[in-house]
Amino acid sequence: MSVSGSPPHEFGQPLSLARQVAQLLVVPVSAQLGSLHTPAEGSPYPSRDGLKKLIQEVGIGGVWLRDGHVAEAILLVEQLQDWASLPLLVAVDAGRGLPLPGATVFPHPLGLSRLATEAASWAEQWGRITSREAAAIGINWLLNPVAAPRGQTGLESLALAEDPATVLSLARAFVGGCEQTAIDTGSGILTTACSFPGLGWPDWLQEGSRFATATPNIPWRPQLTTPVAQLQDTLWLPFRHLVDHVGAILVSHVVLPEWDERWPITLLPGRLTQLLRQEWGFTGLIVVDALDQGFLAELADPATLAVRALQAGADLILAPPDPIQVMQGILDALQAGSQAQGYRAQASLNPAQIAQSVTRILRAKQRTMGGVSSLLKEVWPALAETDFTTVFGWMGATEWTDPGLHRGFPAEQLKPVLLGDPITKDSALGKLFSVRPGLPSRLQGAERLASLLAEPDIAPCQAAMARGGVEGGQPLSLPVEPGWLNWIWQDPPLGSSELSLESPALRIPSALRIPPLCSDALTPLPLLEAALANAPGLMVQFFLQDPLPNYLLNVLQQQRERIAVVVFYGSLPLYRRLREQFHWANAVHSLNRDPFAQKEVMRRLFPHLDIAEGSREARQTIKKK
C-alpha cells in the first residue's frame, strides 16, 4: 500500500488511510535558517524541501520545534502552516520557558516547590507567560509540565518538586495558567504531562530507577524496577490525577521488568491502553517519545518500533527516524490486519484503532485552533457526530473559537484546503492565500511577541523562582579583613550571560572590597595555591555541573579553616555529596546560575544591602543604620 495517492474515501473515511497514518507522525524541525536549507550530515532535521514534501504530499500531523531564534520560529511556523492541508500541531519543550533564544527563560522550576503558599500562584504565572509567548509564535503544543518527581537522573533539571503531591499541585497550576491564556487570546494550548513512567526517583524509593546494563540477548535500556503497585500511589500519583487536566501524556521508553524484561512499556502491545485509558480513564493523546534514540535501534527497525508503539496504545509518535519508511510499515501492518492472514499477529494493526487516534488528534487541533473547527468537522465527521460535552477530561471541554477566522469563508469553500485539492487563484480562498505568506503578517507576529517579552509580570516571576531555588546561607560580617578573596571556580565553558564582570556574584563582593579570583580546570594548580595562600578569608563560589577534580578537593580541605561561606550554583546531588563530606558551617546552594539567582544568594550573605529585584543591573546601597 502506497503512502500517497490513496483514494480519499478509503475505508469509508473522508481522509485516505495513508493520510490518517500520516497524522500520527510528528517530525523534529529546526527553525535555524541555515539548518533548514542545508542540514549538516547526520542531522535529525529534514531539509526544507524534504519537510515541504512531508507536510504537503505525505500530510504529517505535526512538527516538534527543537531550536532556532524566536524570529526564525515565527517565519518557519507560518510557512509550515501555509504548506499544510490539515493544520499542524506545533510542539516545543517548555520546561523552563520556550527553548528558543529571544523567548523568556525561567529559573529551575524546582524552586517553586520551596515558595510555600506562593508556589501555586507563581506556577500559574509561569504557565501564563510561557503559553502566551508560544501562541504569539504559532506554537500550540507544550511538552510540559514535568509530572515526574525529581530524582538523581532523567528529568531532574526540569522537575517541579521532590514529592508527588507537590508536583501535582504545581503542574495543575501551570496548566491553569495555560488555560487562562486560551481564554484571553482565543488560542488554545495543548499541555502534556511528561514523562511517564518516570526515570529518576528520590532515594526514598530505594533508587528504583536505573539504567539497565546490556546482556548478550538484551541491549542496554533505561529501566525502572520499583514494583508497579508501589508506583501507582507514589511516583505515578501526579500522572493519575492530571488525566482530567492535560490534553496529552508523553511516555518514555523505559523498561519495567515486572511487565517485560526486554521491551519498554511504549512497545508492549495493549499496555498503554490498559493502564492509561482503561484503568485511569485518560481520553487525551498518548504520545510516544522520540523513536530516534540510539538504544531502540538495537531492538528493531523504525517501522517495527512504530507498529509496536501503536499496538501499545499510542496516538502520536515523536521523531520517527525515517517517516516514509515508518509510514509504509504501518500501512503494511494495517493491510495485514484487515486481511487477517499471511502476517504474524504481532505485525498487524486494526484500521479502527487508527481512526480513533485520528479523532483524538483532530479534536486536539479543534481545541487549539478554534478557527478551523468547522473545517475539521467537514473532513472528519466523527468530530461533528461526537457529543464532546459528555467526554471526560480536556478533550471534552468547550472549544475555543475565533469568529473572525470564519468570516467570509464558509466550510464548503475551505474544504479543498483540508483535502489537499487545488485552489483556483480567482477564488476568494485563493486571494486569501496569496496574501498570507506576505511580510506584514509576520511583522505583526514579531511585534506582538516583542510586546509580550516586555510585560512587567515576567521579571517578578523569574525572581520568585530564583528565590525558591536558593537554600541555606548565613550573613557574613562586614567589613571583612583586607586581603579576602572571592574565589570562583567554573566548569568551562561558562556562558557570559551567567558570569561576567557585571554579574552580581562578582560585582557585589567587589564593591565590598572582596576581589574575585576566577579559576577553572585550566588554571595551573601552583598559581591557584599561591593566590589562596595569602588570603586571610575566603568566600568560595562554584558554578558546577561536573564533579570537582580530586586535586581541588584537596585544596578545599587545606583551606577549610579560612572558608567563610561556600556557594554552589548547579547540581543539587553534587552539592549534597560535598556538604556531607566537608560539613561546612555556612553553605548556600542555588539551582540556577543566572543573575536572578546570584542576586538572591547575595541577599542571603549581605542582608544589609538593598539589591534591586528584577533589574538588569543590581543596584546596592548600604542602608543607613
Side-chain angles (χ1 to χ4, degrees):
M1 187 180 297
S2 172
V3 300
S4 62
S6 301
H9 294 277
E10 188 172 345
F11 285 96
Q13 299 291 345
L15 291 179
S16 70
L17 188 60
R19 286 276 180 168
Q20 293 177 47
V21 170
Q23 283 294 299
L24 314 182
L25 306 183
V26 179
V27 175
V29 298
S30 169
Q32 294 182 1
L33 297 179
S35 299
L36 189 61
H37 288 282
T38 310
E41 185 176 354
S43 171
Y45 308 124
S47 66
R48 184 180 189 278
D49 291 340
L51 186 57
K52 185 176 183 180
K53 178 180 178 180
L54 288 173
I55 294 173
Q56 278 192 338
E57 299 179 22
V58 177
I60 59 172
V63 294
W64 181 12
L65 190 58
R66 302 299 301 272
D67 59 17
H69 193 275
V70 290
E72 296 173 308
I74 290 173
L75 296 174
L76 177 66
V77 171
E78 184 169 347
Q79 178 66 81
L80 301 185
Q81 295 289 19
D82 281 347
W83 288 339
S85 296
L86 284 168
L88 296 166
L89 289 174
V90 182
V92 70
D93 296 301
R96 297 181 65 173
L98 305 182
L100 307 171
T104 299
V105 178
F106 289 91
H108 197 306
L110 185 61
L112 288 167
S113 64
R114 303 171 181 172
L115 295 177
T117 56
E118 301 177 57
S121 62
W122 287 120
E124 182 178 346
Q125 182 72 353
W126 169 40
R128 187 181 299 114
I129 295 169
T130 300
S131 57
R132 77 189 182 198
E133 291 181 9
I137 295 171
I139 294 166
N140 50 34
W141 180 10
L142 299 181
L143 299 178
N144 204 51
V146 172
R150 194 202 70 82
Q152 303 301 318
T153 56
L155 290 173
E156 71 171 71
S157 63
L158 302 175
L160 297 175
E162 298 191 59
D163 69 284
T166 304
V167 170
L168 174 60
S169 173
L170 296 177
R172 281 176 171 169
F174 177 89
V175 172
C178 296
E179 291 176 346
Q180 185 60 49
T181 293
I183 295 173
D184 295 341
T185 66
S187 300
I189 293 288
L190 175 64
T191 53
T192 310
C194 304
S195 289
F196 184 78
L199 180 57
W201 307 121
D203 294 336
W204 54 269
L205 273 184
Q206 303 170 336
E207 298 185 356
S209 168
R210 65 193 67 177
F211 291 100
T213 56
T215 66
N217 298 321
I218 302 178
W220 173 97
R221 71 274 185 224
Q223 180 172 275
L224 180 60
T225 59
T226 305
V228 171
Q230 185 178 2
L231 291 170
Q232 290 275 9
D233 295 321
T234 53
L235 302 173
W236 290 355
L237 182 145
F239 293 99
R240 286 198 301 114
H241 291 277
L242 283 172
V243 295
D244 59 340
H245 294 271
V246 297
I249 294 178
L250 177 64
V251 189
S252 295
H253 305 290
V254 178
V255 169
L256 274 70
E258 184 175 334
W259 286 340
D260 193 275
E261 293 280 352
R262 176 182 178 86
W263 294 98
I265 63 168
T266 50
L267 306 175
L268 289 178
R271 179 56 65 184
L272 300 180
T273 298
Q274 177 184 340
L275 179 65
L276 302 184
R277 299 215 186 279
Q278 297 175 2
E279 295 185 22
W280 293 3
F282 182 56
T283 61
L285 296 170
I286 297 177
V287 185
V288 165
D289 208 350
L291 287 188
D292 59 1
Q293 299 179 41
F295 74 94
L296 294 175
E298 301 181 44
L299 291 172
D301 62 86
T304 301
L305 294 174
V307 170
R308 291 190 67 107
L310 297 177
Q311 290 174 329
D315 297 303
L316 286 167
I317 298 173
L318 295 184
D322 184 339
I324 301 298
Q325 177 190 353
V326 164
M327 191 171 167
Q328 187 63 62
I330 295 172
L331 288 170
D332 291 343
L334 284 166
Q335 189 164 16
S338 64
Q339 295 173 351
Q341 61 182 0
Y343 229 87
R344 293 177 301 170
Q346 61 265 32
S348 64
L349 284 169
N350 186 342
Q353 177 191 342
I354 302 301
Q356 291 173 353
S357 291
V358 171
T359 299
R360 295 186 191 100
I361 293 166
L362 297 186
R363 172 59 177 167
K365 294 181 178 183
Q366 186 183 43
R367 286 284 331 270
T368 58
M369 296 172 277
V372 296
S373 177
S374 61
L375 317 179
L376 294 174
K377 292 176 182 177
E378 288 286 327
V379 168
W380 199 248
L383 293 178
E385 297 165 0
T386 304
D387 180 7
F388 285 101
T389 62
T390 65
V391 176
F392 177 73
W394 184 87
M395 285 290 182
T398 303
E399 62 190 68
W400 312 111
T401 59
D402 180 357
L405 294 177
H406 297 283
R407 191 177 299 117
F409 299 99
E412 281 306 312
Q413 280 189 284
L414 291 170
K415 187 174 179 180
V417 181
L418 302 179
L419 296 177
D421 295 339
I423 303 171
T424 60
K425 291 184 179 180
D426 57 350
S427 67
L429 188 59
K431 293 177 182 178
L432 171 67
F433 269 63
S434 67
V435 180
R436 278 190 66 191
L439 187 61
S441 63
R442 296 175 182 180
L443 287 177
Q444 290 170 3
E447 290 172 358
R448 170 64 178 155
L449 182 61
S451 66
L452 291 176
L453 293 173
E455 288 287 342
D457 58 353
I458 295 176
C461 187
Q462 291 172 312
M465 293 174 72
R467 184 174 74 249
V470 177
E471 64 177 359
Q474 301 172 16
L476 294 179
S477 298
L478 292 177
V480 299
E481 185 179 346
W484 266 51
L485 288 176
N486 175 20
W487 176 25
I488 293 177
W489 178 276
Q490 53 187 336
D491 283 339
L494 195 65
S496 60
S497 62
E498 296 168 334
L499 195 61
S500 68
L501 291 177
E502 291 301 313
S503 297
L506 273 74
R507 186 169 49 78
I508 293 175
S510 294
L512 299 171
R513 299 183 180 179
I514 308 176
L517 171 63
C518 297
S519 59
D520 56 29
L522 302 179
T523 304
L525 180 58
L527 183 62
L528 177 61
E529 290 179 324
L532 295 174
N534 298 321
L538 296 169
M539 65 176 294
V540 184
Q541 299 192 75
F542 291 115
F543 288 77
L544 291 175
Q545 283 187 329
D546 301 323
L548 292 172
N550 289 331
Y551 73 82
L552 194 64
L553 297 177
N554 293 333
V555 173
L556 285 172
Q557 186 63 39
Q558 295 167 8
Q559 303 294 332
R560 185 170 180 172
E561 297 301 323
R562 289 186 287 177
I563 294 176
V565 62
V566 177
V567 182
F568 283 81
Y569 298 93
S571 171
L572 181 58
L574 177 59
Y575 162 73
R576 288 176 174 173
R577 289 197 297 269
L578 291 174
R579 183 77 187 272
E580 291 176 0
Q581 179 178 351
F582 287 97
H583 301 287
W584 289 296
N586 192 5
V588 189
H589 176 261
S590 173
L591 294 164
N592 312 287
R593 302 179 173 196
D594 55 71
F596 286 105
Q598 295 175 34
K599 282 183 274 188
E600 179 60 29
V601 170
M602 295 302 111
R603 286 192 187 94
R604 303 282 180 99
L605 301 181
F606 309 112
H608 59 286
L609 300 182
D610 181 17
I611 303 174
E613 183 175 289
S615 60
R616 289 185 177 274
E617 296 183 2
R619 303 185 305 270
Q620 72 273 0
T621 57
I622 299 179
K623 296 180 180 179
K624 295 180 180 180
K625 296 184 179 180

